Amino acid sequence: MYCATSDFAKGCEWKSISKLLVNLLQIELGINGPWQEYEQAFQKIVTIVIPQLLEPLQADGRVLKPSLVHGDLWEENAAINLATGDPVVFDASAFYAHNEYELGTWRRKTIKFGRPFFNQYLRNMPPSEPVDQWDDRIRLYSLKFNLAHMIGWPGAPFVREE
């Protein structure tokens, strides 16, 4: 989910990532060609999975607080300042979103931010309620990064298989 409002005093107008994912899928299909089973499965994600995973975030009186996310945080966009030893992140495509969105890219097999990074993240930012859907939400958020990868590297069959 991402926040479509910049005036947080008025509250956040949350938008589901459905439209973004559908647009990326159309671009990806135009580049890599149709795949009927893939398209049918994707339609179920949009109509069934996304509502099941994202609507409970604000159910039962819960309020989802917008977080400024990097938008493309992975090992190639992070380093250590050699003079100070402080971490440095760069090449951001920052926007306000559900804080867990950031972890979607870390699910990709080619990303080296693995379990230790997830564990450290969770020490500082516990999962949103409902906690039992946390891993599924991260997997859902990873779709955006997978689609972007398929668009950027056309014809790479291993990417679609992920």
Side-chain angles (χ1 to χ4, degrees), residues 99-119:
N99 66 288
E100 294 173 356
Y101 168 88
E102 193 78 87
L103 305 178
T105 193
W106 299 3
R107 289 292 302 245
R108 299 204 71 253
K109 292 178 183 177
T110 58
I111 303 300
K112 295 180 178 104
F113 279 2
R115 185 54 51 192
F117 289 90
F118 276 106
N119 292 341

Side-chain angles (χ1 to χ4, degrees), residues 1 50-65 98-100 122 125-138 141:
M1 296 177 72
I50 289 176
Q52 286 180 351
L53 292 179
L54 300 185
E55 288 174 7
L57 290 168
Q58 297 187 94
D60 302 323
R62 289 189 279 271
V63 176
L64 193 58
K65 180 183 171 192
H98 179 209
N99 66 288
E100 294 173 356
L122 291 170
M125 295 292 296
S128 298
E129 292 289 340
V131 174
D132 63 325
Q133 292 182 332
W134 178 82
D135 192 54
D136 293 329
R137 286 191 303 269
I138 304 309
Y141 293 143

Side-chain angles (χ1 to χ4, degrees), residues 2 9-10 20-21 34 53-54 60-61 63 66-67 73 80 82 96 111 117 131 135 142-144 152 156:
Y2 67 94
K10 295 179 182 176
L20 171 66
L21 293 178
L53 292 179
L54 300 185
D60 302 323
V63 176
S67 298
L73 187 59
I80 300 294
L82 295 178
Y96 286 93
I111 303 300
F117 289 90
V131 174
D135 192 54
S142 75
L143 288 177
K144 182 266 182 188

